[in-house]
């Protein structure tokens, strides 16, 4: 098949990549990864770092391709912006996101494929990618268990007031009543998820053994009846009604036009007083100042998660220091729930598979395709 023929067939398939690369020129692959430092030198399984480069360098170079890996991602003189101009494949991660804005997309004349090593591609202007026929794929499912486990841990540490209790021990103090006064059981609580996709559903599955009073979900995509019955979850179609019923809310929806700033002062005013909120989805889904104010006033008893509206989070970000009136209720971490060593192995392998398919002109796994050639393929980034 001629190169042109392969390309046309691929376009017709919609999900496949461009031309077969086996006999063509080497291409430029640009990867924006995080600085791993000493840890990455000592631990080669830290694959998502610029030191270990998702394990891709030997393989890409053996195929005659060029790999530029950098953590330098901000501003016009950054390595990211410099090499974006002629890179054909861009690899990014949600952990240290290379923000691919509409403006940068317009300058990326050679860009055909963006691969998110992980899950969540909101750091890319997806509408602009659709218009420019740049495909956006992610390694769907690669870290959903990792995140679901982190969510359950975060719910428990908030409800049981774990962080202040541990800090008390480190300080050398011992005053049980100071921490027990705000510690509860998860059993008997109403727990709800905003978004009941791969992560949200896995969170629900893991909560069943805690004997909650009820499990609820809010999502424009209904769960299959069998899946809903298996975990005994009830769907609530109105968001304010949903939040007003929950003791614990976990956010598991992607960031898009319909979820940006979704949890703001207005929605928080409909939460139960003293509710706990866990957000491992994306920082910008929750309004930073409104959440901090709700925690300070006691409207929220706790907020936990690992995602921030800019990453790395600035030193003065309110979520680093916010507390409830009793001095607890903060379960924030840097963005790492989806980057356990187990997850890194899976998303590194998945990134390579996506690039292999692209180079060979093979169809991609449809579940990985967020934006195909000129259109959204996912149903998760808003109702279109
Ligand atoms: P998924 O695509 O399987 O499920 C997302 C669900 O959210 C879908 O059911 C969708 O209909 C729903 N949804 C979308 N907009 C909504 C809205 N306005 N209201 C309610 N529900 C809505 O995605 P998955 O794998 O469950 O991941 C979800 C998100 O979690 C990712 O997009 C990413 O932002 C985040 N994530 C965070 C990680 C971390 O390390 N903290 C790692 C992996 C994912």
């Amino acid at each position: 098949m001629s190169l042109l023929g392969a390309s046309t067939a691929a376009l017709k398939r919609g999900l496949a990549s461009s031309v077969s690369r086996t006999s063509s020129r080497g291409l430029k692959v640009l990867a924006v990864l995080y600085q791993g430092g000493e840890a990455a030198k000592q631990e080669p399984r830290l694959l998502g770092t610029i030191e270990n480069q998702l394990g891709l360098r030997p393989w890409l170079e053996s195929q005659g391709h060029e790999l530029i890996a950098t953590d330098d991602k901000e501003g016009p003189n950054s390595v990211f912006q410099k090499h974006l101009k002629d890179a054909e494949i861009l690899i990014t991660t949600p952990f240290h996101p290379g923000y691919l804005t509409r403006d940068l997309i317009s300058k990326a004349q050679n860009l055909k494929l963006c691969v998110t090593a992980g899950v969540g591609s909101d750091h890319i202007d997806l509408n602009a990618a659709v218009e420019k026929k740049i495909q956006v794929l992610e390694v769907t499912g690669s870290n959903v268990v990792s995140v679901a486990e982190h969510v359950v841990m975060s719910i428990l540490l908030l409800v049981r007031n774990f962080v202040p209790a541990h800090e008390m021990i480190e300080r050398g103090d011992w005053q049980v009543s100071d921490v027990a006064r705000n510690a509860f059981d998860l059993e008997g609580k109403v727990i709800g998820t905003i978004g009941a996709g791969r992560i949200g559903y896995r969170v629900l599955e893991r909560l069943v053994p805690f004997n909650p009073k009820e499990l609820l979900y809010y999502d424009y995509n209904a769960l299959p009846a069998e899946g809903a019955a298996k975990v005994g979850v009830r769907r609530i179609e109105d968001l304010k009604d949903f939040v007003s019923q929950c003791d614990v809310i976990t956010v598991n929806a992607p960031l898009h036009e319909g979820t940006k700033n979704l949890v703001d002062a207005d929605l928080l005013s409909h939460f139960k007083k003293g509710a706990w909120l866990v957000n491992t989805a994306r920082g910008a889904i929750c309004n930073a100042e409104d959440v901090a104010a709700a925690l300070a006033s006691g409207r929220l008893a706790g907020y936990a998660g690992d995602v921030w509206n800019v990453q790395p989070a600035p030193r003065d970000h309110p979520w680093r220091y916010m507390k409830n009136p009793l001095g607890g209720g903060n379960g924030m971490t840097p963005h790492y729930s989806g980057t356990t060593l187990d997850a890194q192995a899976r998303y590194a392998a998945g990134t390579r598979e996506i690039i292999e398919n692209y180079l060979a002109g093979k169809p991609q796994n449809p579940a990985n395709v967020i934006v195909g050639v000129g259109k959204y393929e996912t149903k998760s980034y808003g109702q279109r």
Side-chain angles (χ1 to χ4, degrees):
M1 190 188 290
S2 72
L3 286 184
L4 185 62
S7 177
T8 310
L11 277 172
K12 276 188 185 154
R13 277 199 301 273
L15 300 182
S17 61
S18 64
V19 293
S20 167
R21 295 286 170 193
T22 38
S23 59
S24 64
R25 66 183 167 79
L27 52 88
K28 183 185 269 193
V29 181
L30 173 60
V32 181
L33 302 168
Y34 59 90
Q35 174 82 248
E38 269 310 300
K41 286 184 204 142
Q42 290 164 12
E43 179 48 82
R45 289 175 297 174
L46 278 166
L47 285 165
T49 59
I50 49 169
E51 289 81 0
N52 298 322
Q53 304 174 349
L54 297 162
L56 291 175
R57 183 175 292 284
W59 168 65
L60 281 172
E61 289 184 347
S62 74
Q63 307 285 306
H65 305 303
E66 183 188 6
L67 174 65
I68 309 286
T70 184
D71 69 328
D72 179 22
K73 66 187 180 81
E74 305 300 341
N77 298 322
S78 62
V79 176
F80 169 48
Q81 292 201 20
K82 190 170 146 240
H83 287 280
L84 187 62
K85 293 189 181 110
D86 60 347
E88 181 161 336
I89 300 179
L90 173 67
I91 302 169
T92 52
T93 77
F95 309 103
H96 182 73
Y99 294 103
L100 191 62
T101 59
R102 176 174 284 276
D103 178 49
L104 289 181
I105 285 181
S106 73
K107 294 175 183 152
Q109 293 301 328
N110 205 28
L111 188 61
K112 306 270 188 322
L113 174 70
C114 295
V115 188
T116 302
V119 172
S121 299
D122 51 276
H123 55 285
I124 295 167
D125 188 320
L126 298 174
N127 293 331
V130 168
E131 287 162 29
K132 291 278 285 197
K133 296 194 165 43
I134 296 169
Q135 298 182 76
V136 181
L137 279 83
E138 59 187 40
V139 190
T140 295
S142 57
N143 52 16
V144 295
V145 165
S146 323
V147 179
E149 289 184 0
H150 193 99
V151 172
V152 174
M153 174 185 78
S154 301
I155 291 173
L156 281 169
L157 68 82
L158 288 183
V159 172
R160 305 200 58 92
N161 207 23
F162 177 84
V163 175
H166 179 71
E167 288 169 346
M168 173 184 286
I169 287 301
E170 283 197 333
R171 279 197 312 273
D173 294 342
W174 186 286
Q175 187 58 50
V176 173
S177 56
D178 276 356
V179 286
R181 69 186 294 187
N182 207 19
F184 298 85
D185 295 340
L186 189 53
E187 182 169 276
K189 302 296 182 288
V190 178
I191 313 170
T193 177
I194 298 178
R198 295 174 183 87
I199 296 173
Y201 188 75
R202 281 167 179 76
V203 170
L204 294 171
E205 282 183 314
R206 282 157 179 75
L207 289 172
V208 171
F210 288 94
N211 296 322
K213 182 173 179 193
E214 203 174 12
L215 292 175
L216 304 177
Y217 80 100
Y218 171 80
D219 194 323
Y220 58 79
N221 283 311
L223 280 168
E226 196 185 329
K230 193 172 153 228
V231 294
V233 68
R234 185 162 64 90
R235 185 181 183 197
I236 308 278
E237 297 202 31
D238 178 79
L239 184 56
K240 288 179 178 162
D241 181 19
F242 166 85
V243 300
S244 72
Q245 296 190 44
C246 293
D247 299 299
V248 182
I249 293 170
T250 152
V251 185
N252 298 294
L255 175 62
H256 55 77
E257 299 93 324
T259 53
K260 191 165 185 196
N261 225 23
L262 186 70
V263 183
D264 61 0
D266 177 42
L267 189 66
L268 284 160
S269 72
H270 294 270
F271 277 48
K272 273 190 189 174
K273 186 163 175 2
W276 296 276
L277 176 60
V278 172
N279 173 19
T280 52
R282 284 297 176 260
I285 295 174
C286 297
N287 181 291
E289 283 71 31
D290 293 355
V291 162
L295 191 64
S297 73
R299 159 68 52 187
L300 284 179
Y303 183 90
D306 65 334
V307 285
W308 306 72
N309 50 5
V310 191
Q311 291 184 190
R315 280 187 178 271
D316 62 352
H317 197 292
W319 291 359
R320 286 183 185 264
Y321 312 103
M322 62 186 180
K323 301 271 191 231
N324 65 24
L326 295 175
N330 185 328
M332 290 306 294
T333 66
H335 190 171
Y336 85 115
S337 68
T339 193
T340 59
L341 295 181
D342 301 299
Q344 292 188 51
R346 291 188 293 262
Y347 66 65
T351 299
R352 175 166 169 165
E353 192 180 309
I354 289 168
I355 296 174
E356 277 174 343
N357 289 340
Y358 175 79
L359 294 173
K362 285 191 192 157
Q364 300 283 0
N365 172 359
N368 287 343
V369 186
I370 302 302
V371 170
V373 182
K375 65 181 169 86
Y376 277 89
E377 294 291 348
T378 176
K379 290 190 170 61
S380 289
Y381 279 74
Q383 291 167 290
R384 289 169 205 283

PDB file of all heavy atoms in Angstrom, residues 1 18 28 68 73 132 197 234 243 346 362:
ATOM      1  N   MET A   1       0.849  -1.198   0.000  1.00  0.00           N
ATOM      2  CA  MET A   1       0.000   0.000   0.000  1.00  0.00           C
ATOM      3  C   MET A   1       0.887   1.252   0.000  1.00  0.00           C
ATOM      4  O   MET A   1       1.883   1.317   0.705  1.00  0.00           O
ATOM      5  CB  MET A   1      -0.869  -0.018   1.266  1.00  0.00           C
ATOM      6  CG  MET A   1      -1.955   1.040   1.232  1.00  0.00           C
ATOM      7  SD  MET A   1      -2.805   1.150   2.831  1.00  0.00           S
ATOM      8  CE  MET A   1      -3.707  -0.391   2.841  1.00  0.00           C
ATOM      9  N   SER A  18      -1.554   8.195  11.407  1.00  0.00           N
ATOM     10  CA  SER A  18      -1.282   8.605  10.039  1.00  0.00           C
ATOM     11  C   SER A  18      -0.484   7.526   9.320  1.00  0.00           C
ATOM     12  O   SER A  18      -0.749   6.339   9.473  1.00  0.00           O
ATOM     13  CB  SER A  18      -0.562   9.938  10.043  1.00  0.00           C
ATOM     14  OG  SER A  18       0.687   9.794  10.659  1.00  0.00           O
ATOM     15  N   LYS A  28      10.373  13.546  15.307  1.00  0.00           N
ATOM     16  CA  LYS A  28      10.721  14.121  16.610  1.00  0.00           C
ATOM     17  C   LYS A  28       9.598  13.851  17.616  1.00  0.00           C
ATOM     18  O   LYS A  28       8.437  14.178  17.370  1.00  0.00           O
ATOM     19  CB  LYS A  28      10.943  15.629  16.490  1.00  0.00           C
ATOM     20  CG  LYS A  28      11.384  16.245  17.820  1.00  0.00           C
ATOM     21  CD  LYS A  28      11.499  17.752  17.765  1.00  0.00           C
ATOM     22  CE  LYS A  28      12.883  18.197  17.385  1.00  0.00           C
ATOM     23  NZ  LYS A  28      13.098  19.641  17.629  1.00  0.00           N
ATOM     24  N   ILE A  68      13.154  14.131  22.656  1.00  0.00           N
ATOM     25  CA  ILE A  68      13.538  15.251  23.523  1.00  0.00           C
ATOM     26  C   ILE A  68      12.700  15.104  24.790  1.00  0.00           C
ATOM     27  O   ILE A  68      11.472  15.124  24.723  1.00  0.00           O
ATOM     28  CB  ILE A  68      13.196  16.617  22.879  1.00  0.00           C
ATOM     29  CG1 ILE A  68      13.723  16.723  21.450  1.00  0.00           C
ATOM     30  CG2 ILE A  68      13.645  17.769  23.763  1.00  0.00           C
ATOM     31  CD1 ILE A  68      15.199  16.903  21.329  1.00  0.00           C
ATOM     32  N   LYS A  73       8.922  23.624  31.062  1.00  0.00           N
ATOM     33  CA  LYS A  73       7.685  23.696  30.301  1.00  0.00           C
ATOM     34  C   LYS A  73       7.015  25.060  30.259  1.00  0.00           C
ATOM     35  O   LYS A  73       6.005  25.222  29.594  1.00  0.00           O
ATOM     36  CB  LYS A  73       6.700  22.673  30.851  1.00  0.00           C
ATOM     37  CG  LYS A  73       6.214  22.946  32.280  1.00  0.00           C
ATOM     38  CD  LYS A  73       5.386  21.785  32.785  1.00  0.00           C
ATOM     39  CE  LYS A  73       4.868  21.990  34.199  1.00  0.00           C
ATOM     40  NZ  LYS A  73       3.677  22.809  34.295  1.00  0.00           N
ATOM     41  N   LYS A 132      -7.621  21.284  14.683  1.00  0.00           N
ATOM     42  CA  LYS A 132      -6.368  21.092  13.939  1.00  0.00           C
ATOM     43  C   LYS A 132      -6.121  19.635  13.566  1.00  0.00           C
ATOM     44  O   LYS A 132      -5.056  19.288  13.073  1.00  0.00           O
ATOM     45  CB  LYS A 132      -5.187  21.606  14.785  1.00  0.00           C
ATOM     46  CG  LYS A 132      -5.169  23.117  14.954  1.00  0.00           C
ATOM     47  CD  LYS A 132      -4.566  23.848  13.767  1.00  0.00           C
ATOM     48  CE  LYS A 132      -3.078  23.697  13.757  1.00  0.00           C
ATOM     49  NZ  LYS A 132      -2.371  24.636  12.931  1.00  0.00           N
ATOM     50  N   GLY A 197     -17.535   6.950  36.404  1.00  0.00           N
ATOM     51  CA  GLY A 197     -16.843   6.210  35.334  1.00  0.00           C
ATOM     52  C   GLY A 197     -15.918   5.178  35.944  1.00  0.00           C
ATOM     53  O   GLY A 197     -16.236   4.570  36.964  1.00  0.00           O
ATOM     54  N   ARG A 234     -27.539   4.736  44.044  1.00  0.00           N
ATOM     55  CA  ARG A 234     -28.721   5.416  43.509  1.00  0.00           C
ATOM     56  C   ARG A 234     -28.281   6.668  42.788  1.00  0.00           C
ATOM     57  O   ARG A 234     -27.411   7.396  43.261  1.00  0.00           O
ATOM     58  CB  ARG A 234     -29.649   5.766  44.684  1.00  0.00           C
ATOM     59  CG  ARG A 234     -30.992   6.371  44.290  1.00  0.00           C
ATOM     60  CD  ARG A 234     -31.987   6.264  45.440  1.00  0.00           C
ATOM     61  NE  ARG A 234     -31.582   7.033  46.620  1.00  0.00           N
ATOM     62  CZ  ARG A 234     -31.911   8.307  46.838  1.00  0.00           C
ATOM     63  NH1 ARG A 234     -32.634   8.970  45.952  1.00  0.00           N
ATOM     64  NH2 ARG A 234     -31.517   8.938  47.934  1.00  0.00           N
ATOM     65  N   VAL A 243     -25.747  16.984  46.364  1.00  0.00           N
ATOM     66  CA  VAL A 243     -24.788  17.389  47.414  1.00  0.00           C
ATOM     67  C   VAL A 243     -25.485  17.572  48.764  1.00  0.00           C
ATOM     68  O   VAL A 243     -24.878  17.326  49.812  1.00  0.00           O
ATOM     69  CB  VAL A 243     -23.969  18.656  47.043  1.00  0.00           C
ATOM     70  CG1 VAL A 243     -23.165  18.429  45.782  1.00  0.00           C
ATOM     71  CG2 VAL A 243     -24.835  19.907  46.930  1.00  0.00           C
ATOM     72  N   ARG A 346       2.304   0.566  34.080  1.00  0.00           N
ATOM     73  CA  ARG A 346       1.182   0.409  33.142  1.00  0.00           C
ATOM     74  C   ARG A 346       1.120   1.574  32.151  1.00  0.00           C
ATOM     75  O   ARG A 346       0.917   1.377  30.956  1.00  0.00           O
ATOM     76  CB  ARG A 346      -0.143   0.288  33.907  1.00  0.00           C
ATOM     77  CG  ARG A 346      -0.266  -1.012  34.692  1.00  0.00           C
ATOM     78  CD  ARG A 346      -1.677  -1.171  35.280  1.00  0.00           C
ATOM     79  NE  ARG A 346      -1.970  -0.190  36.298  1.00  0.00           N
ATOM     80  CZ  ARG A 346      -1.868  -0.399  37.618  1.00  0.00           C
ATOM     81  NH1 ARG A 346      -1.480  -1.568  38.068  1.00  0.00           N
ATOM     82  NH2 ARG A 346      -2.179   0.553  38.471  1.00  0.00           N
ATOM     83  N   LYS A 362      -1.494   1.325  12.633  1.00  0.00           N
ATOM     84  CA  LYS A 362      -2.524   0.384  13.117  1.00  0.00           C
ATOM     85  C   LYS A 362      -3.616   1.138  13.873  1.00  0.00           C
ATOM     86  O   LYS A 362      -3.341   2.178  14.471  1.00  0.00           O
ATOM     87  CB  LYS A 362      -1.888  -0.604  14.094  1.00  0.00           C
ATOM     88  CG  LYS A 362      -1.032  -1.669  13.477  1.00  0.00           C
ATOM     89  CD  LYS A 362      -0.723  -2.684  14.572  1.00  0.00           C
ATOM     90  CE  LYS A 362       0.352  -3.656  14.175  1.00  0.00           C
ATOM     91  NZ  LYS A 362       1.008  -4.244  15.347  1.00  0.00           N
TER      92      LYS A 362
END
